[in-house]
Amino acid sequence: MEKETLVEESTTSDFTKIYIAIIVVLVTLVLFLIYRSRTVSRRSVLLTGLCNSGKTVLFARLVHGQLVKTFTSMKENAGEYIINGSSLKIIDIPGHERVRDKFFDQYKPEAKAIVYVVDSTLIQDEIRDIAEYLYNILSCPDIANNKINVLILCNKQDIPASKNCSTVKTMLERELTTLQITKSSQLEFVDPKIKKSSLLVDGDNFQFSLMSSIKVDFVDCNATTTEDGSPNLEGLEKWLSKIV
Ligand SMILES: Nc1nc2c(ncn2[C@@H]2O[C@H](COP(=O)(O)OP(=O)(O)O)[C@@H](O)[C@H]2O)c(=O)[nH]1
Ligand SMILES: *[C@@H]1O[C@H](CO)[C@@H](O)[C@H](O)[C@H]1NC(C)=O
Ligand SMILES: *[C@@H]1O[C@H](CO)[C@@H](O)[C@H](O)[C@H]1NC(C)=O
Ligand SMILES: *[C@@H]1O[C@H](CO)[C@@H](O)[C@H](O)[C@H]1NC(C)=O
Ligand SMILES: [Mg+2]
């Protein structure tokens, strides 16, 4: 009688040990998976910018090496770009106001670099919208904290009415100065405890070169083939080869 109880006890404790072992293994596995998912490798280049700036044409050129008919899309495109033996993932983020923030938030954890495509022919008419979307990207803590490089791609240089990248830069700096003042006073109004102007650089005039954590470059580009010229993605590809 006594012996039987003893045997039973020892089997129960054996089972307990096995259960504990299984639980430990499972917990470790779960923790490992959580850790893995948080440290996704940053190897994506996000193509951002307003609708119609040329993102999908650029995406097709980089990923498929060809021109495709594009249409306004509400979905992202993703593909591989091979450069000098390495590869980058290119993600074409739709520019539509209603969906772009959702896609940007989804892909920013894997961003290695951001290309902000500008329609250089519309810079004067759309400067406010162009600057505002750019401001949202530059003031995103995830982008600043990880020192993600940004390229402003001044597209459609084949059209005579376009402004070159030095003009675009000057215009953006002027508009961002205004925006910064508006935004920081809005923040103060909502919550006086939020530090004024913590998003971009301090100072009267905003300058890209004064940004401490994000390096912003500018290049000219024309993405499509025209009667008097072939596409010119040289500046973009040079920049990509530096960040890969
Ligand atoms: N002339 C000219 N047209 C361009 C250039 N890049 C894009 N486009 C045109 O601009 C339009 C919008 O391009 P798309 O790639 O769909 O823009 P997305 O909305 O940013 O994806 C299309 O009709 C393209 O053919 C360019 O460099 N020069
Ligand atoms: C294309 O873009 C380049 C600059 O990237 C520019 O020098 C050239 O004149 C443009 N025009 C055409 C028709 O390709
Ligand atoms: C850009 O355009 C401006 C005005 O049209 C001109 O003065 C300047 O030299 C141009 N810069 C470059 C780098 O082409
Ligand atoms: C490829 O890499 C080599 C050596 O690192 C470099 O000299 C060359 O310029 C690179 N080519 C491109 C297209 O980036
Ligand atoms: Mg598109």
Side-chain angles (χ1 to χ4, degrees):
M1 189 68 181
E2 246 177 31
K3 234 180 180 171
E4 260 186 75
T5 339
L6 215 78
V7 169
E8 226 167 53
E9 252 174 31
S10 90
T11 33
T12 359
S13 75
D14 270 354
F15 273 124
T16 318
K17 275 182 199 157
I18 291 171
Y19 282 138
I20 292 174
I22 291 173
I23 289 169
V24 167
V25 168
L26 285 178
V27 167
T28 315
L29 199 69
V30 167
L31 287 178
F32 174 73
L33 289 177
I34 291 175
Y35 173 78
R36 268 268 305 267
S37 70
R38 288 198 166 196
T39 56
V40 284
S41 62
R42 290 184 172 273
R43 52 177 298 273
S44 297
V45 175
L46 311 189
L47 292 180
T48 59
L50 299 184
C51 287
N52 228 31
S53 53
K55 300 178 296 297
T56 307
V57 168
L58 285 161
F59 170 82
R61 284 236 183 264
L62 292 174
V63 173
H64 306 293
Q66 62 184 356
L67 189 64
V68 291
K69 253 204 146 71
T70 69
F71 47 90
T72 305
S73 175
M74 289 295 194
K75 257 190 105 266
E76 77 278 31
N77 297 304
E80 297 290 325
Y81 171 63
I82 314 289
I83 184 164
N84 221 3
S86 323
S87 85
L88 289 167
K89 190 173 166 192
I90 309 283
I91 300 168
D92 166 21
I93 309 267
H96 203 287
E97 203 168 354
R98 268 187 305 155
V99 295
R100 68 185 181 213
D101 290 344
K102 186 188 91 181
F103 284 113
F104 186 74
D105 287 344
Q106 180 184 339
Y107 286 105
K108 73 185 179 196
E110 58 180 85
K112 187 183 181 74
I114 292 174
V115 174
Y116 189 74
V117 186
V118 171
D119 182 338
S120 315
T121 63
L122 292 175
I123 183 79
Q124 270 161 325
D125 300 334
E126 296 188 339
I127 184 70
R128 181 142 307 170
D129 289 344
I130 294 171
E132 182 136 23
Y133 185 15
L134 179 62
Y135 184 94
N136 292 342
I137 293 172
L138 296 179
S139 59
C140 175
D142 203 42
I143 301 305
N145 293 342
N146 291 291
K147 298 195 183 301
I148 306 299
N149 287 344
V150 175
L151 177 72
I152 315 277
L153 194 67
C154 304
N155 196 26
K156 310 201 185 182
Q157 292 298 320
D158 54 296
I159 301 174
S162 64
K163 300 280 179 230
N164 65 24
C165 65
S166 24
T167 308
V168 169
K169 183 178 180 179
T170 309
M171 293 179 72
L172 278 174
E173 283 179 336
R174 202 181 312 141
E175 191 63 28
L176 284 168
T177 303
T178 316
L179 247 169
Q180 179 163 249
I181 297 163
T182 328
K183 293 258 179 180
S184 57
S185 58
Q186 274 172 359
L187 281 180
E188 271 192 324
F189 182 71
V190 178
D191 181 357
K193 271 178 280 181
I194 292 177
K195 208 170 141 250
K196 190 180 170 188
S197 197
S198 59
L199 300 175
L200 296 168
V201 284
D202 270 326
D204 302 328
N205 293 317
F206 171 77
Q207 275 174 274
F208 287 104
S209 58
L210 294 178
M211 294 190 77
S212 52
S213 49
I214 306 174
K215 189 171 177 295
V216 183
D217 295 311
F218 285 78
V219 297
D220 286 329
C221 177
N222 32 56
T224 56
T225 316
T226 53
E227 289 149 25
D228 31 44
S230 45
N232 188 336
L233 274 65
E234 209 175 279
L236 171 62
E237 299 199 272
K238 216 174 190 171
W239 190 82
L240 289 174
S241 78
K242 272 191 278 174
I243 62 119
V244 71

